[in-house]
Amino acid sequence: MRLWHNPASPFVRKVRIVIRESHLQGIEEINTPVSPVNPHAELATKNPLVKIPALQMDDGAVLYDSSVICEYLDTLNPGPKLIPADGARWHALRLQSLCDGILDAAVLCRYEGAVRPEALRWQSWIDGQFVKIRNGLDALEREVASWGDTFQIGQIGAACVTGYLDFRFASEPWRESRPQLAAWHQRTLSRASVSATIPSA
Ligand code: BEZ
C-alpha cells in the first residue's frame, strides 16, 4: 500500500497514528507537497480533490479521505479495533467528526494566514473559524474526563487537534481554560504512535 502524505497535515497524522496503533507494516509513505493554489499533478491522478491523505490499496484502488482510510485500515487491524463495532461506534464517530471539524477550521485559518495575500484577508471570516475551533475545544474539555484510557479513533482525532494547534497556532492559549484537555494532551505524548508523528514542516 502507498500513502500520499505530508508531515504537517493533521488529517495525515490521524492515519499515521492509526497505522502505528494497529501495528500495520509495509505502507510506503510518499511525501507530497500540497497547496490550495498549486495542485500537485501526481496526486490529482490519485484523488480528484487533490487532497492528502490518499491511500492506494494493494489492488490499485485509491481511498480518501482520512475517515474512510482509517475505517479501511481498521479492517486490517489484527488487534482491538480503533473504530468499535458495538454501540460505542456512534460515540467514537461523533467524536472523530467533532475533531475533523475543528481541524477543517484550523487548516482554513492556516491557509488564510500563510497563503492568501495579506490585502485579501478577511478578519471576520477568520474570527468565525476561530469560534468553531474554540467551541470545539470547549466540547472536548467537557468530555475528556469520560475517556479514561480509551484511545480509539475519536481520541486519535483529539490528539491531532491539540498537536496541530501547538504546531501552527502556538500563540493560541488553548490550555488556559481547558486544564483537563491540556493534561490529557500531555499524557498522549507518552504513546509511541503520537510522539513518532509530531507534525513538522
Ligand atoms: C499545514 O502545513 O499546516 C498543512 C499541510 C497540509 C495539509 C494541511 C495543513
Side-chain angles (χ1 to χ4, degrees):
M1 287 188 284
R2 300 203 290 171
L3 177 70
W4 280 268
H5 88 113
N6 184 296
S9 162
F11 294 103
V12 166
R13 188 180 190 198
K14 190 156 59 113
V15 171
R16 296 178 83 212
I17 292 177
V18 164
I19 290 170
R20 284 157 180 78
E21 289 289 329
S22 310
H23 305 287
L24 298 175
Q25 310 283 336
I27 299 177
E28 182 191 355
E29 294 191 334
I30 303 168
N31 202 334
T32 311
V34 284
S35 160
V37 292
N38 187 15
H40 188 276
E42 190 203 340
L43 181 61
T45 69
K46 308 296 174 188
N47 177 355
L49 303 175
V50 206
K51 282 176 145 184
I52 51 169
L55 180 83
Q56 189 160 44
M57 299 183 291
D58 288 340
D59 68 2
V62 179
L63 294 179
Y64 43 82
D65 58 6
S66 66
S67 302
V68 174
I69 294 171
C70 290
E71 183 112 27
Y72 171 67
L73 292 175
D74 206 35
T75 67
L76 309 178
N77 176 6
K81 295 297 178 192
L82 299 172
I83 304 172
D86 54 19
R89 175 180 175 81
W90 305 111
H91 298 284
L93 292 181
R94 191 270 318 160
L95 180 55
Q96 176 181 221
S97 290
L98 172 61
C99 296
D100 283 355
I102 299 170
L103 289 173
D104 281 336
V107 169
L108 286 174
C109 288
R110 164 67 187 165
Y111 283 150
E112 190 74 11
V115 180
R116 191 184 293 277
E118 202 165 343
L120 299 179
R121 285 182 204 151
W122 184 13
Q123 190 56 46
S124 301
W125 185 89
I126 297 171
D127 293 346
Q129 298 303 322
F130 264 94
V131 168
K132 296 173 198 256
I133 295 169
R134 292 177 185 136
N135 284 352
L137 290 167
D138 290 342
L140 295 179
E141 174 70 9
R142 284 193 294 274
E143 67 180 271
V144 65
S146 71
W147 296 347
D149 291 331
T150 302
F151 198 69
Q152 296 177 329
I153 195 65
Q155 289 79 22
I156 291 171
C160 295
V161 164
T162 52
Y164 190 68
L165 291 177
D166 281 354
F167 175 52
R168 288 302 191 201
F169 300 93
S171 61
E172 171 71 14
W174 65 266
R175 287 173 175 78
E176 267 176 22
S177 56
R178 303 176 191 95
Q180 298 187 88
L181 186 62
W184 178 86
H185 166 83
Q186 198 56 37
R187 285 200 302 281
T188 64
L189 294 174
S190 63
R191 297 188 83 95
S193 64
V194 174
S195 61
T197 57
I198 287 174
S200 61

